[in-house]
Amino acid sequence: MYMAVAPAPSGSDRGAAVILQPLAADARPDGERILVERTELAAAVARAETRRPRWVWQGTRLWYPELLTAGVDVERCWDLSLTRSILARSQSCRSSRYIDALRIEALTDQAADLPRTLLPRPASPDQESLFDAPQRASGPSLDDVVEELAAQLAAVAAAEGSQRLALLVAAESAGALIATEMEHFGLPWRRDVHEDLLERNLGPRPPEGSRPVELERLADELRTTLQAPGLNPDSPQELLRALHRAGIDVRTTRSWELERQQHPAIGPLLAYKKLSRLLTANGWTWLDAWIRDGRFRPEYVVGGVVSGRWASRGGGALQIPHQVRDAVRPDDGHVFVVADAAQLEPRVLAALGRDPALATAARGRDLYQGIADQGFDGDRAKAKLAMLGAMYGATSGEAGRLMPQLSRAYPRAMGVVEAAARAGESGAGVSSHLGRGCPPATEEWHTGQRSTTAEEQRGAEASARARGRFTRNFVVQASAAEWALCWLAEIRRRLDASSIADPRSRIAFFLHDEVVLHVPAARAVEAEGILGDAARAASRLMFGDIPLEFSITTITVASYADAK
């Protein structure tokens, strides 16, 4: 059954109230509407959870945080906002009044180059709002919620490959629950360890607007070495001019270009850039903004990337540098169990192509070595270069020369990405395994393809190849993101059903193909088993029973820095 949730009408004499509506599997009312005070919502949800409903709401972020604050979690939900975004792009959906309206809206947003915002946000968000009292929900009426659920259920049921699309919608909504739980409970973060790390690398915390002593020392060394007394090394323009005056021929101040130069200034400059990144990305200001009560609570954006990968708003949640990972430490008596889905994307490609030869290569821990042993004379580096080139469209250089060999060895898998590339080059769309669609080519792109001059033709061909590279990778990356969502959902379900009953036992962090669990030290082995079992279950959900291993490596650590 479903249970729809929406605010009571603004004219209600009950004030801040919420309406709950039990719904049958086809979204028809299946019981009396329940009107509760907002303060009674958590208790009402807890009572209803005994019936294991799927909660239907406009956005998980609008409702779930206050339930978690009240100590109530829910098993399942249907996030209308996230589902709407999936259906608007999915090529699996058949034309209907609802789907056609979604597609027109998506095309309008694309033409206007609007940012892809999937989750409702405050009108004037700031970092502090993440830690304020839960935002009060507003928006569509209960009738609107029920009507849209019915339209979405009908669209999924009528879709080509409806079971796959239904799985994607369920997994995306489960991801929304997990992301909200991760934000609420937070990633354990030791401020004292982080501050000690900053002081050892940068020196004591400087006054506002001043450089730390180590950065200032390196800046002085650069001024002396480059004979530029007034140099501000934080200014790329000033720095580039000083480098040129010193005879250092570089086009940019990027580290990879500087590393190729031989000059006494290069060492201190690279050191300065590294420490400057630490200060800017994870310095004292970052600590003040993002670490509260020993927890890092960023805002995760489910499906924030067009391929379905997660993104984050603020705090750099998906880019925790190795320099500061030692500050990520579990609570007393707990450990982190870190799992990594090794070489996930090429394994997904093997499953998409149902390629038996590539599946055989993937049976060991190291897929690239398996490929090397099959056809590259054991040269792992060549095998990896060829496979990455196939998935990302590197058709020139060494990767391009290796492609024919890879295509002969794995024709089915290579056929998947080649077909996707050809579709993209023609302006057509492609889909993930479960039915997430990539954005269509814009009208501007199509106009550019109707070139007349030789110069325009060259530009059109380059644009077509670029789109082909995008669609080539989309089918793999989006399908891998779906596998990861199914993995997450299975982990959450199995954790809740396990004997790991500690309330702090949670999915603490997630990054594309890596999951970090926070569990009691005595339960680490059980948690490792859950991670592996969940991976196998995710593979069956996605691809059925196929002779392909999705290898999971796990490690139990007392510091995130020790995970890799």
Side-chain angles (χ1 to χ4, degrees):
M1 65 169 287
Y2 297 94
M3 183 73 79
V5 185
S10 57
S12 170
D13 58 5
R14 296 287 297 273
V18 179
I19 307 177
L20 309 181
Q21 173 68 70
L23 302 170
D26 59 357
R28 286 185 296 181
D30 189 28
E32 295 295 324
R33 291 188 174 187
I34 305 167
L35 180 68
V36 299
E37 302 291 346
R38 191 60 183 255
T39 55
E40 300 170 358
L41 174 62
V45 169
R47 289 192 297 271
E49 265 294 293
T50 60
R51 301 170 65 186
R52 299 186 68 239
R54 190 180 297 274
W55 295 92
V56 182
W57 42 45
Q58 184 63 25
T60 303
R61 187 178 299 283
L62 291 174
W63 295 96
Y64 200 30
E66 67 181 272
L67 297 178
L68 290 171
T69 298
V72 175
D73 56 19
V74 303
E75 182 181 351
R76 304 181 299 172
C77 81
W78 183 291
D79 190 305
L80 293 171
S81 179
L82 290 174
T83 303
R84 188 183 310 128
S85 180
I86 290 172
L87 299 183
R89 298 292 190 202
S90 179
Q91 297 180 16
S92 303
C93 290
R94 303 183 190 278
S95 176
S96 69
R97 183 177 177 182
Y98 177 71
I99 292 299
D100 292 347
L102 290 185
R103 287 172 174 168
I104 291 171
E105 182 182 1
L107 286 173
T108 303
D109 290 350
Q110 184 179 6
D113 196 27
L114 296 179
R116 186 166 178 265
T117 303
L118 301 182
L119 299 180
R121 302 185 66 189
S124 301
D126 55 42
Q127 292 177 346
E128 297 300 319
S129 69
L130 295 177
F131 309 103
D132 291 342
Q135 185 186 345
R136 294 300 184 190
S138 61
S141 68
L142 184 65
D143 288 340
D144 293 332
V145 169
V146 174
E147 182 181 359
E148 183 159 23
L149 173 64
Q152 291 185 353
L153 286 170
V156 172
E160 182 180 351
S162 59
Q163 288 185 328
R164 291 184 183 181
L165 190 59
L167 176 57
L168 174 57
V169 168
E172 191 93 334
S173 295
L177 293 175
I178 293 166
T180 308
E181 290 166 356
M182 286 167 56
E183 293 173 23
H184 176 79
F185 293 100
L187 179 65
W189 201 288
R190 287 277 298 275
R191 185 185 180 101
D192 59 330
V193 174
H194 193 134
E195 288 178 332
D196 179 65
L197 181 150
L198 292 175
E199 289 198 14
R200 283 188 282 109
N201 285 274
L202 298 167
R205 183 171 187 168
E208 191 71 28
S210 301
R211 285 193 185 93
V213 292
E214 181 59 18
L215 274 180
E216 191 58 47
R217 184 191 69 77
L218 288 168
D220 285 340
E221 185 176 350
L222 281 172
R223 296 181 187 116
T224 301
T225 306
L226 295 173
Q227 298 181 11
L231 172 65
N232 173 14
D234 296 320
S235 167
Q237 295 81 11
E238 285 189 38
L239 182 58
L240 196 58
R241 287 195 294 269
L243 292 171
H244 289 167
R245 286 195 298 268
I248 304 173
D249 186 18
V250 290
R251 298 177 62 186
T252 71
T253 59
R254 293 174 181 167
S255 296
W256 65 266
E257 188 170 359
L258 294 171
E259 288 169 353
R260 298 185 300 186
Q261 305 298 316
Q262 298 293 325
H263 190 280
I266 298 302
L269 177 54
L270 291 173
Y272 184 93
K273 288 171 69 68
K274 181 179 179 180
L275 292 182
S276 181
R277 282 194 298 271
L278 172 62
L279 177 65
T280 302
N282 298 99
W284 290 277
T285 301
W286 182 90
L287 269 175
D288 293 341
W290 291 101
I291 304 304
R292 299 289 181 91
D293 303 322
R295 289 294 192 274
F296 175 38
R297 295 183 176 89
E299 182 180 343
Y300 298 99
V301 183
V302 178
V305 178
V306 69
S307 65
R309 280 185 168 187
W310 289 16
S312 67
R313 292 191 185 106
L318 303 183
Q319 298 176 356
I320 300 177
H322 285 276
Q323 286 175 285
V324 299
R325 288 187 177 185
D326 193 36
V328 184
R329 299 191 184 185
D331 296 339
D332 290 344
H334 290 67
V335 292
F336 291 134
V337 181
V338 183
D340 177 64
Q343 301 151 345
L344 176 59
E345 290 190 1
R347 293 175 192 273
V348 165
L349 177 56
L352 292 175
R354 301 279 169 158
D355 195 308
L358 189 53
T360 299
R363 283 187 185 144
R365 290 278 183 186
D366 190 343
L367 176 144
Y368 296 127
Q369 189 59 57
I371 295 173
D373 293 340
Q374 284 185 347
F376 289 85
D377 297 323
D379 191 330
R380 184 184 185 278
K382 279 188 177 181
K384 181 177 181 179
L385 181 65
M387 179 55 72
L388 293 179
M391 292 189 298
Y392 290 92
T395 55
S396 61
E398 180 68 10
R401 288 191 291 273
L402 295 171
M403 279 291 291
Q405 186 175 349
L406 201 66
S407 296
R408 288 192 298 271
Y410 312 113
R412 293 187 184 180
M414 295 305 105
V416 169
V417 288
E418 289 299 326
R422 300 293 83 79
E425 289 170 1
S426 69
V430 295
S431 295
S432 67
H433 182 67
L434 296 184
R436 192 187 298 272
C438 75
T442 63
E443 186 57 39
E444 181 182 5
W445 185 92
H446 283 289
T447 300
Q449 294 301 300
R450 297 189 288 269
S451 56
T452 56
T453 69
E455 182 178 354
E456 289 176 343
Q457 183 62 37
R458 286 193 294 272
E461 290 172 355
S463 179
R465 288 193 299 272
R467 179 167 171 78
R469 287 192 294 273
F470 165 71
T471 52
R472 173 192 292 271
N473 184 241
F474 180 92
V475 296
V476 180
Q477 187 180 108
S479 300
E482 292 166 351
W483 184 92
L485 271 177
C486 292
W487 186 32
L488 275 178
E490 282 291 327
I491 293 169
R492 179 179 186 261
R493 185 178 69 81
R494 290 162 188 268
L495 270 178
D496 288 346
S498 73
S499 62
I500 307 177
D502 186 287
R504 290 172 292 177
S505 298
R506 295 281 175 178
I507 299 173
F509 187 62
F510 166 62
L511 176 61
H512 305 326
D513 55 5
E514 180 184 288
V515 175
V516 180
L517 301 186
H518 182 258
V519 300
R523 299 294 186 183
V525 173
E526 184 178 354
E528 289 181 3
I530 286 173
L531 289 164
D533 291 343
R536 287 183 284 275
S539 301
R540 287 192 298 272
L541 276 172
M542 282 278 294
F543 303 112
D545 291 321
I546 59 175
L548 176 67
E549 296 178 9
F550 281 79
S551 180
I552 303 299
T553 59
T554 60
I555 183 172
T556 299
V557 296
S559 166
Y560 188 39
D562 297 332
K564 287 187 178 179

